[in-house]
Amino acid sequence: MRPIETMLIMANLLTFVVFVVPRLHASGWTSSIVLVTFAVAGFQILVEGPRWQMVPAYVLTGLLLLVWGVERLVKSNRIAKDLLSNRLVVGGTIILCLLDLLLAASLPIVFPVFHFPRPSGPYQIGTLTYHWVESRHEIFSTDPNAHRELMVQVWYPVKGNVSSVRAPYVQDASALSASVTRVAPLPWFAFNHFQYVTTNAIPSARVATDTSTYPVLVFLTGIFGFRQSNTFQIENFVSHGYIVVGIDQPYTAAAVDFPDGHQIIGWTHAQMDPFTNQSLNPVEPAPMLNGIALKNGNMPYLAQDVSFTLDQLSALNKADPNGILTGRLDLKRVGTFGISLGAMVAAEACHIDSRLKACLMVDAAMPFDVVQVGLRQPGMWLTRPANDMRLEHWKESDITQTLNTMQAVFNKEPAGEGYYVSVPGMFHVNFTDAPYFTPLGPLFGFTGPINAQRGFDIVNAYSLAFFEQHLQDHTAPLLDGPSKYYPEVIFSSKSISYHPFR
C-alpha cells in the first residue's frame, strides 16, 4: 500500500470511530476530521493517482461526508432528523461502512502497487527502448505488405547515477490489462494499476565505464507475456554486469505498442496453438497461416526475430542513435533465456544461430528439431517436478511432453555443458514476476506453495551461475553439485545427478 493510501485508510477508520463512539462524536472534532479525510482522498488521487483497488476507500470517504452533511441538516430539517433517529437506517449505515472499510483496507494489500527490491550485484541499471522493422513479411498479418517489426528494450549496467527517476514497469498498463483479460477470467481493468509500478532502471542513464564491454543476453517472454515479465531476473543479471535485451514479439506478446500509435494484440491460445504444436509434434498436412503451410510450425519464424535482433545489436554497437551503447556490447559473448513459449523460441534460436553461445530454457517443451539433434551450445533447463504441474492442473500429456523433451535435449549435451534444475513447489508463473502481483497467489492457486522470494533467489542463483561459467569463463561452484544453500533443488549435470528427495 502506498503512503498516502495508508493515510486515507487510517483517516477513514478514525472518522468512522468518531461517528460511532458517542463521546468522541460529541467532542466537536467531527467536522474537522471529516473534512481532513476528504482532503486526504483528493490529495491521494492527485499525487499518487487513483486505482480501482482504492474505490471502496473513495466511496467510504463520500459516505461519511454524506452522513456528516445529513447531521448538519438535522437542526433545520425534520426529515433528516427522523432519518438519523431510525435505528434500521443507522444500523445499516454502520454495517455498510464496516464492510466498505474492510474492502478499502484489504484490496490495496491483495493487489499492491509492488516494488522490485534492489538486485544483488554492484551495478545500477539503465534502460533504452528501440523500434526495429525487418524486411521479412509479417506472416501473422492478413496485410500482404506488412513487415515484421519489434519493440525491444535494453537494460545495461550503470554506476554512480543517483537519479530519482525510475522507468515504469510497463509502458501501457491498460493495453496489457485489456489483452491479458481476453483470455483470463479477470475484469478488463485488472492490471491498470501497473501504471504506478516502477523498476530499478534509470531511463537513458550513462553506461558504466569500469569495463569496456559487457556480455549480452536476449530475453524471450511467453505467450500473453511482455518484455518486462521477468524484471526480477533481468535486473539481477544487469546488476552483475550483463546487458539484457528483451523482445516483444508481435502476436505472441500480450500487446505490442509502436511509436506511431498502432498496437498489435496477442493471439489467443486457440489461434496460436496449432502452429506451436506443429513445431513440437509435426503432422501432415501442416496447418495453414494466411495461405502459407507452416511445415515446421511457428518456431523457425519466431526464432528469426532473435537473429534479426543480433544483427541490429551489431549495428547498435557501431553507432547507437542515443549515443549510449556504442562499442559497449560484447557480441562474442551472447546468450539467450526464455520462459514458456519464449523458452521454445530460445531453443530454436540456439539451434539455428551459432552466434548464441549459451541457452537457458525455463519450463517448456522443446521443439521437435531441437529434440532430434540437440543443441551445440551449453544449455540449462529450469523447471519443477511433475507433481507441481499436476497441482497447477496441467494435462498429463503436457506434463509428459514438457519433461520428456527437456530431458531428451539435456541428455544430448556434452559433459559439463548441460544442467537440469528442478525446483519443487514452483508453479509456471513463479518463474516470472507474477508472485509480486498479489501476496495471496498460493491461496488463489495462482502461484505454487514455495515462498515467492525463495523461488526468485533460486532462479537468479542458478541462471547467473550458468551464464557466468559459460559466457564469462568464471568458475561457478553452484554448478558442481549439491548446494547447502539450496538443498531442496533437484540438480543434474552430465557429470553429476543430485536427487535429495529419493
Side-chain angles (χ1 to χ4, degrees):
M1 195 180 297
R2 294 176 291 175
I4 308 178
E5 290 178 351
T6 302
M7 289 174 56
L8 178 56
I9 301 302
M10 296 305 295
N12 273 328
L13 175 61
L14 178 61
T15 306
F16 175 74
V17 170
V18 166
F19 269 113
V20 298
V21 177
R23 183 178 297 179
L24 294 175
H25 195 37
S27 66
W29 289 95
T30 305
S31 296
S32 298
I33 291 172
V34 168
L35 293 176
V36 167
T37 301
F38 184 73
V40 171
F43 188 60
Q44 189 278 320
I45 291 171
L46 287 173
V47 175
E48 293 180 331
R51 60 181 179 123
W52 66 264
Q53 294 90 341
M54 290 298 295
V55 168
Y58 306 145
V59 170
L60 182 57
T61 301
L63 182 60
L64 294 172
L65 184 67
L66 177 63
V67 172
W68 171 75
V70 170
E71 276 192 340
R72 291 179 64 84
L73 290 174
V74 167
K75 293 180 180 179
S76 59
N77 189 301
R78 183 176 178 181
I79 296 176
K81 187 174 183 179
D82 291 342
L83 189 65
L84 286 181
S85 64
N86 188 303
R87 291 185 178 181
L88 187 62
V89 171
V90 173
T93 302
I94 291 174
I95 292 173
L96 183 62
C97 286
L98 281 172
L99 292 174
D100 201 328
L101 189 60
L102 180 63
L103 274 176
S106 60
L107 281 179
I109 296 173
V110 173
F111 302 103
V113 176
F114 57 91
H115 302 281
F116 291 96
R118 177 77 175 84
S120 62
Y123 292 99
Q124 292 179 276
I125 300 158
T127 189
L128 294 164
T129 303
Y130 299 88
H131 172 221
W132 293 332
V133 181
E134 303 187 43
S135 60
R136 284 191 300 155
H137 171 60
E138 175 56 84
I139 65 172
F140 293 104
S141 173
T142 56
D143 180 359
N145 298 315
H147 290 276
R148 183 74 168 168
E149 53 185 327
L150 306 175
M151 290 302 300
V152 175
Q153 187 165 354
V154 180
W155 295 265
Y156 52 90
V158 170
K159 269 197 173 181
N161 194 317
V162 294
S163 169
S164 60
V165 177
R166 292 296 185 268
Y169 181 43
V170 294
Q171 301 300 317
D172 188 344
S174 60
L176 172 66
S177 189
S179 60
V180 172
T181 55
R182 288 170 64 227
V183 295
L186 296 168
W188 60 269
F189 51 81
F191 300 108
N192 281 6
H193 63 293
F194 279 14
Q195 65 185 297
Y196 303 120
V197 177
T198 55
T199 66
N200 290 297
I202 303 166
S204 302
R206 306 307 301 181
V207 65
T209 57
D210 56 341
T211 187
S212 57
T213 60
Y214 298 94
V216 177
L217 302 175
V218 178
F219 171 64
L220 299 155
T221 188
I223 193 167
F224 311 130
F226 46 103
R227 62 180 184 263
Q228 307 92 340
S229 67
N230 281 51
T231 293
F232 85 93
Q233 190 178 20
I234 290 169
E235 291 194 338
N236 192 64
F237 278 132
V238 177
S239 77
H240 286 274
Y242 291 82
I243 291 175
V244 179
V245 182
I247 306 175
D248 264 342
Q249 295 184 279
Y251 298 95
T252 62
V256 186
D257 293 295
F258 296 97
D260 64 1
H262 82 280
Q263 180 186 84
I264 296 178
I265 298 294
W267 279 14
T268 64
H269 271 295
Q271 291 173 299
M272 189 62 69
D273 280 358
F275 309 106
T276 301
N277 291 336
Q278 181 68 13
S279 291
L280 302 178
N281 297 300
V283 296
E284 291 290 347
M288 302 290 291
L289 177 60
N290 296 323
I292 303 171
L294 296 187
K295 181 180 178 181
N296 297 312
N298 55 11
M299 292 302 152
Y301 183 80
L302 295 173
Q304 288 177 56
D305 288 340
V306 179
S307 295
F308 172 72
T309 296
L310 295 181
D311 295 339
Q312 293 298 107
L313 291 176
S314 180
L316 192 69
N317 204 34
K318 293 176 182 177
D320 178 9
N322 297 288
I324 293 177
L325 295 176
T326 302
R328 310 319 302 272
L329 294 86
D330 186 345
L331 296 176
K332 293 182 179 179
R333 295 184 293 166
V334 182
T336 184
F337 66 107
I339 168 74
S340 195
L341 179 70
M344 302 178 195
V345 177
E348 184 71 23
C350 285
H351 174 63
I352 67 174
D353 199 321
S354 61
R355 289 176 292 178
L356 296 167
K357 306 303 182 184
C359 192
L360 171 64
M361 296 143 289
V362 182
D363 211 41
M366 295 289 97
F368 179 80
D369 52 359
V370 176
V371 174
Q372 294 301 300
V373 301
L375 294 174
R376 74 190 91 182
Q377 303 90 340
M380 174 177 279
W381 288 263
L382 279 171
T383 187
R384 62 271 173 61
N387 283 341
D388 292 302
M389 295 179 174
R390 294 187 184 101
L391 281 176
E392 203 176 355
H393 307 294
W394 277 34
K395 296 178 182 177
E396 284 296 325
S397 58
D398 291 337
I399 294 172
T400 299
Q401 181 179 53
T402 299
L403 296 179
N404 286 357
T405 57
M406 286 192 296
Q407 190 73 45
V409 184
F410 163 73
N411 289 339
K412 289 184 169 67
E413 289 282 280
E417 293 191 358
Y419 311 90
Y420 192 93
V421 182
S422 185
V423 189
M426 300 280 275
F427 278 8
H428 195 59
V429 299
N430 280 95
F431 293 103
T432 72
D433 297 331
Y436 284 129
F437 299 173
T438 173
L440 299 185
L443 182 63
F444 296 155
F446 175 61
T447 57
I450 192 172
N451 174 273
Q453 188 58 52
R454 181 66 173 175
F456 290 148
D457 291 344
I458 291 172
V459 169
N460 280 337
Y462 279 91
S463 56
L464 181 62
F466 171 68
F467 286 119
E468 286 285 282
Q469 183 148 309
H470 292 285
L471 287 186
Q472 302 268 50
D473 292 326
H474 294 166
T475 301
L478 189 61
L479 303 183
D480 291 340
S483 169
K484 64 179 180 180
Y485 301 108
Y486 309 108
E488 67 269 46
V489 170
I490 305 169
F491 176 81
S492 298
S493 75
K494 294 311 294 293
S495 56
I496 187 171
S497 183
Y498 174 53
H499 301 279
F501 297 108
R502 285 186 177 178

